[in-house]
Amino acid sequence: MTSSSKIAVRELPLFPLSEVVLFPTRPLPLHIFEFRYRIMMNTILESDRRFGVLMVDPAKGTVANVGCCAEIVHYQRLPDDRMKMLTLGQQRFRVLEYVREKPYYVGLVEWIEDHPPTKDLRPLATEVEQLLQDVVRLSAKLTEQNIELPEDLPDLPLELSYWVASNLYGVASEQQALLEMQDTVARLEREAEILTSTRNHLAARTVLKDTFNQKL
């Protein structure tokens, strides 16, 4: 960690969410209805529109120590002061200590970033993108639906690693581990493992489906 990042410490309002992991550059829509969080959002809207999102593990009853800062980019007030809002992930942070718990959590946090890469990340990113293509193609065939990757899939390896991690569903603990990594290579390699396993599973199901259809 560089000396400058050690100095990058600030207080940040914190929003714990059950099994939700936000990543930099990724959108997060929210429906704010709890009174304490309505207070928090109204306060944030009067300042820099930024707060921290932390994943809550309901099985363990724990709150993650590493999260992602969210910035409110659009909001709509609803009856009885509820709010719908669209937020966008910014930089990641680590909670150093909680400075307040009521009416909502505020933490002293430090920003964290990936370490500078020591090798060219493009070949690994290309491998991950190809695995994504395979998973999408097999999913489309299996479900007989038109499924495609978005045209704005990130080109940069770091942003691609965030995109893949944010689109893993039902595995919040795995997403949290990817969020906490500070090595882009390690994150992409882990995502390649996950996508390879998914591709192989889908391929096996596709073969079974084709075999079954041929017997009909």
Side-chain angles (χ1 to χ4, degrees):
M1 183 177 292
T2 64
S3 58
S4 61
S5 61
K6 289 181 180 177
I7 300 171
V9 172
R10 64 163 282 181
E11 287 189 6
L12 192 67
L14 299 173
F15 190 21
L17 284 171
S18 180
E19 297 188 295
V20 173
V21 182
L22 176 63
F23 287 85
T25 74
R26 306 310 307 151
L28 176 65
L30 293 171
H31 177 202
I32 308 300
F33 54 88
E34 277 191 62
F35 181 67
R36 56 179 168 168
Y37 293 123
R38 283 185 280 164
I39 294 175
M40 185 177 90
M41 294 306 174
N42 281 312
T43 303
I44 290 167
L45 285 168
E46 294 175 357
S47 57
D48 64 358
R49 295 192 171 205
R50 300 175 71 156
F51 62 97
V53 174
L54 291 170
M55 192 272 281
V56 178
D57 186 332
K60 298 179 180 178
T62 56
V63 180
N65 195 47
V66 172
C68 183
C69 181
E71 182 175 1
I72 301 169
V73 294
H74 179 74
Y75 71 98
Q76 176 189 7
R77 294 191 185 277
L78 302 174
D80 65 29
D81 207 30
R82 289 177 296 121
M83 280 185 265
K84 283 187 176 180
M85 53 180 54
L86 177 64
T87 71
L88 190 65
Q90 305 292 337
Q91 62 266 62
R92 293 171 293 160
F93 64 86
R94 180 180 291 106
V95 178
L96 300 176
E97 62 177 296
Y98 287 95
V99 297
R100 195 171 79 224
E101 293 187 8
K102 293 182 179 180
Y104 51 83
Y105 285 98
V106 177
L108 187 67
V109 308
E110 64 174 354
W111 305 122
I112 60 174
E113 298 177 354
D114 277 13
H115 305 303
T118 56
K119 66 177 185 179
D120 187 0
L121 299 178
R122 286 173 295 183
L124 183 54
T126 299
E127 178 189 350
V128 168
E129 187 170 345
Q130 182 57 58
L131 286 165
L132 273 175
Q133 297 279 6
D134 291 346
V135 167
V136 167
R137 176 178 53 81
L138 288 167
S139 296
K141 184 176 181 181
L142 200 59
T143 60
E144 297 180 355
Q145 294 179 347
N146 184 23
I147 307 172
E148 295 181 354
L149 285 173
E151 293 182 359
D152 61 349
L153 190 71
D155 293 325
L156 297 176
L158 175 61
E159 292 187 3
L160 178 66
S161 76
Y162 291 148
W163 189 95
V164 174
S166 70
N167 282 279
L168 298 176
Y169 294 105
V171 286
S173 60
E174 183 75 67
Q175 288 181 302
Q176 183 63 35
L178 291 168
L179 182 76
E180 295 181 10
M181 288 181 180
Q182 290 183 258
D183 184 338
T184 315
V185 171
R187 189 180 303 108
L188 286 168
E189 286 178 342
R190 177 58 187 146
E191 289 166 352
E193 291 175 2
I194 295 169
L195 290 169
T196 298
S197 175
T198 303
R199 179 193 62 184
N200 293 346
H201 175 70
L202 290 172
R205 288 181 60 191
T206 302
V207 169
L208 284 173
K209 181 181 179 182
D210 289 344
T211 303
F212 178 76
N213 289 339
Q214 288 172 5
K215 291 181 178 179
L216 292 180

